[in-house]
Amino acid sequence: MGTTSKALSLLRLFSGSQPEIGLTELSRQSGMNKATVYRLMSDLAEYGFVEQVGADRMYRIGPGVMRLAVLRETSVPLRSIAKEHVSALAEEIGETTHVSQVSGDELSTLTYAYSTKHGTRVTMEDAERLPFHATSSGLSVLAYSNAALVDSILSKPLDKRTPQTIVDPQQIRDELKRISLRGHAESVSGFEQDVHSVAAPIFAGGATVCGALAIAAPVGRVNGALRSRMIAAVQERARMITEMMGGAMPVSPDSA
Amino acid sequence: MGTTSKALSLLRLFSGSQPEIGLTELSRQSGMNKATVYRLMSDLAEYGFVEQVGADRMYRIGPGVMRLAVLRETSVPLRSIAKEHVSALAEEIGETTHVSQVSGDELSTLTYAYSTKHGTRVTMEDAERLPFHATSSGLSVLAYSNAALVDSILSKPLDKRTPQTIVDPQQIRDELKRISLRGHAESVSGFEQDVHSVAAPIFAGGATVCGALAIAAPVGRVNGALRSRMIAAVQERARMITEMMGGAMPVSPDSA
DNA sequence: CCATATCGGTTTATTATATGAACCAATGGT
DNA sequence: ACCATTGGTTCATATAATAAACCGATATGG
């Protein structure tokens, strides 16, 4: 594995639930020697990708990534456009909404909004990685992705997150076909027990899928009427986000 | 120069005025061999830091940086807090406002807002690097930075952007002392001809300066009354941003 | 239409950089 | 006082990176 790849892979270890990580723990999680990790993190720090904080000198993501994010949003303003829509959608439907984004073979939460309508709600974690196979967002993205990504995802061991999680590749492929015909994905307890979610894909740069918009609600609150409203609203908002970014809805899957 | 550093230095070549760069041009600007650039960019692309677009396969910043930016904002929400304040301040004062952020020895524009009050305005460029010595933002940051950063910046050749740009290190040091006493910096045509700007520092993580808030207006519109309002407003808003991030105004400079 | 220039991309002998076992100082817990 | 664990460092050895030269494709000018 190349040196640059090793350094970048260290950045992937940070998460919403673990925003700060010490040197020895980074070595443990990455499987790299502590001296190697120290050198790589020093290089990353020099360019602002990480910084050390506190008396125990824990690492966290640094300010240097912000300039790159600003540049990214100049070209593909997914997060800034999505932010407004997830807020409006959360208030319209009264449930948690979120947008996730594809980067290579990873899907991660970009922004989310809670509704104040209920005392309980489905909660989110910043920048959380979502499994493609077990979430409505992931499935709606796969339904419009090229065969290479689908094959890559389905050829790896699929985690059975809940008793309801589908992990048979052929069953997933069949479901992807159905999703591409109806334009949205739906998951009941596939990722988290007792959470019902629906998602629709978002496209950029022509008809390339770049993420998904989803609504998530406790199973007990989702009756037929709410379910219909969720489906219609998530598809309409996803279409609006796509249009605002100058993207286009595709004519068929495997269009990439 | 280490391999990781070479790769990361390539990312610095992207800007608001040059969001897409081809392979050969990257080689030219970086001084590295084209084969080397190709390999390094391939590694960066694998982790989502860059992607290639268009028939000519130009590189641009990729989606992978967004997850890191979300994590960064979880710890230091400077951009999201600043965004609201620069909008409000632009409407309050009627001029262009912006927040910039320090990353190592670089200062770059994080977010900005225009006022709709006038037909002409000072314009900004996304993620633009700002020289410390020639901008009110840069000077207000230096006035509260540790001696190592000040020495580093002032030991390099300073660019005389306009006839009014101060480039004598001793004069700048004297000005930094005055800025730290009054709590704001002011620049008239120091960075751009006929632009008058005032800035105040923003602190995070205790009393560490992390950026600055600035107002910029055409020289001809800045009379005594407007100038006083600009100074008072930028200091008050910078203090509010600092407090919202859990930072603290310092008691004296060189406190880091 | 042809020659030339320029681009993105590739190869591999040679060169440069990275690695990690062993070590150190500091800190916290028993 | 002892032990465990942390962040940080060193340098002989191992590994990866480099870049001159090359290729195919495309665009341009004569």
Side-chain angles (χ1 to χ4, degrees):
Chain A
M1 194 195 210
T3 305
T4 303
S5 298
K6 282 180 175 172
L8 301 180
S9 70
L10 289 171
L11 293 176
R12 287 187 158 185
L13 299 176
F14 295 90
S15 68
S17 57
Q18 199 174 37
E20 292 181 10
I21 312 179
L23 178 67
T24 303
E25 183 56 27
L26 280 167
S27 172
R28 203 157 24 240
Q29 290 185 25
S30 64
M32 297 181 214
N33 185 279
K34 190 147 57 76
T36 301
V37 174
Y38 182 78
R39 236 188 92 94
L40 296 172
M41 295 304 283
S42 295
D43 288 343
L44 290 167
E46 194 183 334
Y47 286 82
F49 283 77
V50 298
E51 63 184 11
Q52 283 181 287
V53 289
D56 51 7
R57 311 273 282 153
M58 303 271 266
Y59 289 96
R60 71 181 178 187
I61 298 296
V65 303
M66 296 311 298
R67 180 172 183 274
L68 300 180
V70 169
L71 287 174
R72 172 65 186 175
E73 282 279 304
T74 299
S75 304
V76 186
L78 176 58
R79 184 164 198 267
S80 52
I81 289 173
K83 220 168 171 35
E84 300 168 18
H85 284 276
V86 300
S87 294
L89 186 59
E91 284 315 304
E92 176 190 336
I93 296 296
E95 300 293 350
T96 298
T97 63
H98 62 96
V99 159
S100 49
Q101 171 202 257
V102 189
S103 175
D105 60 358
E106 276 201 349
L107 182 70
S108 59
T109 301
L110 203 53
T111 185
Y112 57 86
Y114 296 135
S115 168
T116 55
K117 198 171 183 178
H118 302 285
T120 62
R121 59 168 71 128
V122 175
T123 57
M124 308 293 310
E125 174 189 304
D126 290 298
E128 180 177 24
R129 283 193 184 85
L130 302 173
F132 282 93
H133 71 291
T135 58
S136 59
S137 296
L139 292 169
S140 69
V141 162
L142 283 186
Y144 294 90
S145 297
N146 61 33
L149 179 61
V150 177
D151 289 342
S152 168
I153 299 297
L154 297 187
S155 67
K156 291 164 187 157
L158 303 176
D159 185 28
K160 201 172 179 72
R161 296 288 296 245
T162 72
Q164 287 83 13
T165 310
I166 303 174
V167 295
D168 172 42
Q170 191 51 56
Q171 283 190 286
I172 294 173
R173 286 183 190 280
D174 293 343
E175 179 65 6
L176 294 184
K177 286 195 175 67
R178 290 191 284 271
I179 291 166
S180 68
L181 289 176
R182 63 179 188 250
H184 75 275
E186 196 161 1
S187 169
V188 182
S189 297
F191 178 53
E192 266 189 88
Q193 203 62 47
D194 295 329
V195 172
H196 189 145
S197 69
V198 298
I202 296 168
F203 301 87
T208 305
V209 68
C210 64
L213 169 70
I215 305 172
V219 156
R221 280 210 289 267
V222 184
N223 58 25
L226 179 58
R227 180 175 168 272
S228 296
R229 287 179 57 220
M230 284 165 69
I231 292 170
V234 82
Q235 284 184 285
E236 175 59 14
R237 287 280 179 182
R239 187 191 60 74
M240 289 167 67
I241 294 173
T242 289
E243 285 187 4
M244 285 179 77
M245 290 199 303
M249 308 297 288
V251 171
S252 66
D254 293 297
S255 58
Chain B
M1 194 195 209
T3 304
T4 304
S5 299
K6 281 179 176 173
L8 300 181
S9 69
L10 289 171
L11 293 177
R12 287 187 160 185
L13 299 176
F14 294 90
S15 68
S17 57
Q18 199 175 35
E20 293 182 9
I21 313 179
L23 179 68
T24 303
E25 185 55 29
L26 280 168
S27 173
R28 207 163 14 244
Q29 290 185 27
S30 67
M32 296 181 214
N33 184 280
K34 190 146 59 73
T36 301
V37 174
Y38 183 78
R39 233 190 96 93
L40 296 173
M41 295 303 283
S42 294
D43 288 342
L44 290 168
E46 194 182 333
Y47 286 81
F49 283 77
V50 297
E51 63 185 11
Q52 284 181 285
V53 288
D56 50 6
R57 314 272 282 154
M58 302 272 266
Y59 289 96
R60 70 180 179 188
I61 299 297
V65 303
M66 296 310 300
R67 180 173 183 272
L68 299 180
V70 168
L71 287 175
R72 172 63 186 175
E73 282 279 304
T74 299
S75 304
V76 185
L78 176 58
R79 184 164 198 268
S80 52
I81 291 174
K83 218 168 169 41
E84 299 168 18
H85 284 276
V86 299
S87 293
L89 186 59
E91 284 316 303
E92 176 190 336
I93 297 296
E95 299 294 348
T96 298
T97 62
H98 64 95
V99 158
S100 49
Q101 172 202 258
V102 189
S103 176
D105 60 357
E106 275 201 350
L107 181 70
S108 58
T109 301
L110 204 53
T111 186
Y112 57 86
Y114 295 136
S115 166
T116 56
K117 197 171 184 175
H118 303 285
T120 62
R121 59 169 69 130
V122 176
T123 58
M124 308 292 309
E125 175 189 303
D126 291 297
E128 181 176 23
R129 285 192 182 87
L130 302 174
F132 283 92
H133 70 291
T135 58
S136 59
S137 297
L139 291 170
S140 71
V141 162
L142 283 186
Y144 295 90
S145 297
N146 61 33
L149 180 62
V150 177
D151 289 342
S152 168
I153 299 297
L154 297 187
S155 67
K156 291 163 187 158
L158 304 175
D159 185 29
K160 200 171 181 69
R161 296 288 295 247
T162 70
Q164 287 82 14
T165 310
I166 302 175
V167 294
D168 173 41
Q170 191 51 54
Q171 281 190 288
I172 295 175
R173 288 183 189 280
D174 293 342
E175 180 64 7
L176 294 184
K177 285 194 176 66
R178 290 191 284 273
I179 291 168
S180 68
L181 289 177
R182 63 178 187 249
H184 76 276
E186 196 160 1
S187 169
V188 183
S189 297
F191 178 54
E192 266 190 88
Q193 203 62 45
D194 296 328
V195 172
H196 188 146
S197 70
V198 297
I202 297 168
F203 301 87
T208 304
V209 66
C210 64
L213 170 69
I215 304 173
V219 154
R221 281 213 287 268
V222 184
N223 57 24
L226 179 58
R227 178 174 169 275
S228 296
R229 286 180 58 220
M230 283 165 70
I231 291 171
V234 80
Q235 283 185 286
E236 175 59 13
R237 287 281 178 181
R239 188 191 59 73
M240 289 167 68
I241 294 173
T242 289
E243 286 186 4
M244 284 179 77
M245 290 201 304
M249 310 295 287
V251 171
S252 67
D254 293 298
S255 57

